[in-house]
Amino acid sequence: MSKPAIGFIGLGIMGRPMAGHMQAAGYPLTVVNFDPPLPENLLQAGAVVCQSNREVAEKSDIIIIMVPDTPDVEKVLFNEDGVANGLSAGKLVIDMSSISPNATVEFAQKINALGCDYLDAPVSGGEPKAISGELTIMVGGPEAAFERALPVFETMGTTITLIGERNGDGQVCKVANQIIVGCSVQAAAEALLFASKAGADPRKVHEALMGGAARSVILENHARRMLDRNFEQTFRVELQRKDLGLAVEACREMGMVLPNATTAWQLLNACEANGDLNADAISVLKVLERMANHTLEA
Amino acid sequence: MSKPAIGFIGLGIMGRPMAGHMQAAGYPLTVVNFDPPLPENLLQAGAVVCQSNREVAEKSDIIIIMVPDTPDVEKVLFNEDGVANGLSAGKLVIDMSSISPNATVEFAQKINALGCDYLDAPVSGGEPKAISGELTIMVGGPEAAFERALPVFETMGTTITLIGERNGDGQVCKVANQIIVGCSVQAAAEALLFASKAGADPRKVHEALMGGAARSVILENHARRMLDRNFEQTFRVELQRKDLGLAVEACREMGMVLPNATTAWQLLNACEANGDLNADAISVLKVLERMANHTLEA
């Protein structure tokens, strides 16, 4: 049985390796010509280049979207030359971007009305896990559509969970993930800067903390990069702020308050004042450093 | 060579198993009669009972203190019948309580003036790790004193780190640990409650999050107890609030601000309003639940 044709829209630092994994697994790949720059390796391996998102939808069985934010997904789907205008019944649209859970519900309803299934399937793990094909994928949508997509997901990720059969459940899970990640990055930065300002060796503190209840993926990876002052981008401040903003926005819609997530979200605004909006999310350390008039010495 | 005699002051839920491990390893143990209730197993194994902390200090080579807060340590050391009045040159005082780093510097100076060494050696891991002898021990003080204490520490802990040769460095590390632990418990509570209020299954969300960048000891253990609504005490709200209060107090002394730690500290005040000051620290979930008028359904 030949594999379904995949249309992939959004060849950014995440999308490029993700599309590459699908192509390497034998899925015919269709991309769009204004997704810059079209990666040479995808073209050489036979990716078909279309002139519009509509044309991608026409030529594919499964259309995958991986763009930065809610308005980007809306444009890709519903612009005049958008995906919706190229769909026919039976196709499957998968949004792997991290966007608003509520907007996702609306988008899915419109796609369903065209006789197509919709999955929201945001990912966690950043560029390193996109490259290694070890993403965490959190999925919302009908189980049958999930089963149809699973072999495709398995080319890109290792922890693949159907959170619920309601569209939006995947995005809700991703927002929950980002609440923890965003708060944890800042807690690690605060802990190490506190220790350093108090005169202790932050590397020794990090070593001790990794042996106890404070141990986490964030303390292992992000805090180590803070100690090394390695601010090379793995995940942009701008995207972390956007994700915590999705939490705050959804809180307002639902009538609930998350004081810790809100504090973390606010602090990311000061990264912009520092000119670090496009730097790695650990740059929030520099905001704390400026407030403390102290640099983490490691 | 016979093992040094240990005086142990503070036989609470942490101190009892810690003293038991030392005694089981062959250290002669001295305790004080008003440390209620004196555990039968320690007495049957030959623990000597003294009438005052001063007498414990007179009869021991190494005096270990494990009490709740800074004023408690001060009383144990410097009251009329306190440890300081029973010390003679060459003895070693080890404070394993979690208290103020700055007060620790003062206490150590006074003990040093009597010709004795002082180590601050707070622990992490709570009652379960105290019982299993797998505590994380964070030590500040002279390396020679650390080497002298190490065999004793090894009866109680598995990750034992000399953070620095300055007294107070161990307490600084413990405060850093509690910043991460306190913030992480609340981030986990916020993430799960958010997902639940948004209609997703928090157990599925937890499962997915454990596979990615949000994974941590806190998400594994504390969040699982939140899902099970198991509020059985492992570490009291009151102590977590005290520890974050140490961070906030030290911040004021040093002239720095930690917005995330401060938010987490403040929220613990509402646990008191809920009547949960003596409940487990995960009870902060109930504060968030009341604010959201929603209970985490798992």
Side-chain angles (χ1 to χ4, degrees), chain B residues 97-108:
Chain B
S97 321
S98 294
I99 69 162
S100 158
N102 280 349
T104 293
V105 173
E106 288 175 36
F107 297 166

Side-chain angles (χ1 to χ4, degrees), chain B residues 21-128:
Chain B
H21 289 305
M22 288 183 276
Q23 195 181 41
Y27 290 93
L29 189 68
T30 298
V31 298
V32 66
N33 69 343
F34 51 78
D35 236 353
L38 284 178
E40 274 304 317
N41 64 321
L42 299 183
L43 298 178
Q44 282 172 8
V48 173
V49 181
C50 296
Q51 303 307 308
S52 69
N53 293 326
R54 179 175 53 74
E55 192 186 341
V56 170
E58 286 166 356
K59 291 196 170 152
S60 311
D61 303 302
I62 298 176
I63 300 94
I64 298 182
I65 301 166
M66 187 63 180
V67 294
D69 203 353
T70 311
D72 305 303
V73 175
E74 187 166 26
K75 278 180 211 155
V76 165
L77 287 175
F78 303 115
N79 262 8
E80 195 180 344
D81 256 345
V83 166
N85 283 327
L87 289 176
S88 47
K91 298 197 174 190
L92 170 60
V93 174
I94 308 176
D95 178 27
M96 302 189 77
S97 321
S98 294
I99 69 162
S100 158
N102 280 349
T104 293
V105 173
E106 288 175 36
F107 297 166
Q109 285 171 346
K110 287 189 193 172
I111 298 299
N112 292 160
L114 302 170
C116 298
D117 273 328
Y118 188 98
L119 292 174
D120 49 298
V123 306
S124 169
E127 189 183 7

Side-chain angles (χ1 to χ4, degrees), chain A residues 165-240:
Chain A
E165 294 211 60
R166 264 186 1 163
N167 277 121
D169 279 355
Q171 298 293 355
V172 165
C173 185
K174 176 64 191 282
V175 171
N177 186 76
Q178 294 306 85
I179 290 170
I180 293 179
V181 168
C183 290
S184 298
V185 169
Q186 298 195 13
E190 289 194 359
L192 292 179
L193 190 66
F194 173 88
S196 171
K197 176 107 176 170
D201 176 353
R203 285 192 185 275
K204 280 281 179 192
V205 169
H206 184 254
E207 179 190 328
L209 265 46
M210 278 299 295
R215 190 176 68 244
S216 70
V217 173
I218 296 295
L219 188 64
E220 171 82 52
N221 300 335
H222 293 62
R224 194 178 301 280
R225 288 190 280 117
M226 291 177 202
L227 290 168
D228 295 340
R229 299 199 82 71
N230 173 6
F231 294 97
E232 200 183 325
Q233 191 202 104
T234 64
F235 184 69
R236 275 181 292 157
V237 166
E238 193 173 19
L239 292 176
Q240 192 157 93

Side-chain angles (χ1 to χ4, degrees), chain A residues 9-290:
Chain A
I9 298 166
L11 295 167
I13 64 167
M14 297 294 289
R16 284 197 296 273
M18 289 163 68
H21 288 306
M22 288 182 276
Q23 196 181 40
Y27 290 93
L29 190 68
T30 298
V31 298
V32 66
N33 68 344
F34 51 78
D35 235 353
L38 283 179
E40 274 305 318
N41 64 320
L42 299 184
L43 298 178
Q44 282 172 10
V48 172
V49 180
C50 296
Q51 303 307 309
S52 69
N53 293 326
R54 180 177 51 76
E55 193 186 341
V56 170
E58 285 165 359
K59 293 196 169 150
S60 310
D61 303 302
I62 299 176
I63 299 95
I64 298 181
I65 302 166
M66 186 63 180
V67 293
D69 204 351
T70 311
D72 305 303
V73 174
E74 187 166 26
K75 278 179 211 156
V76 164
L77 287 175
F78 303 114
N79 263 8
E80 197 180 342
D81 256 345
V83 166
N85 284 326
L87 289 176
S88 47
K91 298 199 173 189
L92 170 61
V93 174
I94 308 176
D95 178 27
M96 301 188 78
S97 322
S98 294
I99 69 162
S100 158
N102 279 350
T104 293
V105 173
E106 288 175 37
F107 298 166
Q109 285 171 345
K110 289 189 192 173
I111 297 300
N112 293 160
L114 302 170
C116 298
D117 273 329
Y118 188 97
L119 293 174
D120 48 299
V123 305
S124 169
E127 190 183 6
K129 300 293 187 184
I131 290 172
S132 66
E134 296 174 302
L135 289 168
T136 296
I137 308 178
M138 299 154 265
V139 190
E143 184 154 11
F146 175 76
E147 295 298 337
R148 180 177 173 191
L150 190 54
V152 179
F153 290 148
E154 284 172 342
T155 70
M156 298 178 273
T158 40
T159 305
I160 303 156
T161 310
L162 179 62
I163 303 299
E165 294 211 60
R166 264 186 1 163
N167 277 121
D169 279 355
Q171 298 293 355
V172 165
C173 185
K174 176 64 191 282
V175 171
N177 186 76
Q178 294 306 85
I179 290 170
I180 293 179
V181 168
C183 290
S184 298
V185 169
Q186 298 195 13
E190 289 194 359
L192 292 179
L193 190 66
F194 173 88
S196 171
K197 176 107 176 170
D201 176 353
R203 285 192 185 275
K204 280 281 179 192
V205 169
H206 184 254
E207 179 190 328
L209 265 46
M210 278 299 295
R215 190 176 68 244
S216 70
V217 173
I218 296 295
L219 188 64
E220 171 82 52
N221 300 335
H222 293 62
R224 194 178 301 280
R225 288 190 280 117
M226 291 177 202
L227 290 168
D228 295 340
R229 299 199 82 71
N230 173 6
F231 294 97
E232 200 183 325
Q233 191 202 104
T234 64
F235 184 69
R236 275 181 292 157
V237 166
E238 193 173 19
L239 292 176
Q240 192 157 93
R241 183 169 68 163
K242 182 260 295 179
D243 288 345
L244 287 173
L246 291 174
V248 170
E249 178 192 332
C251 278
R252 197 182 56 174
E253 288 164 356
M254 292 192 287
M256 73 186 296
V257 57
L258 300 180
N260 291 277
T262 304
T263 300
W265 173 62
Q266 278 292 306
L267 224 58
L268 294 174
N269 289 331
C271 292
E272 187 170 9
N274 270 357
D276 278 340
L277 207 54
N278 285 308
D280 191 78
I282 64 163
S283 301
V284 75
L285 172 67
K286 293 183 183 173
V287 173
L288 296 166
E289 287 179 337
R290 287 183 75 168

Side-chain angles (χ1 to χ4, degrees), chain B residues 201-223:
Chain B
D201 176 352
R203 286 192 186 274
K204 281 282 180 191
V205 170
H206 183 255
E207 179 190 328
L209 266 45
M210 278 299 295
R215 190 176 69 244
S216 70
V217 173
I218 297 295
L219 188 65
E220 170 82 52
N221 299 335
H222 293 62

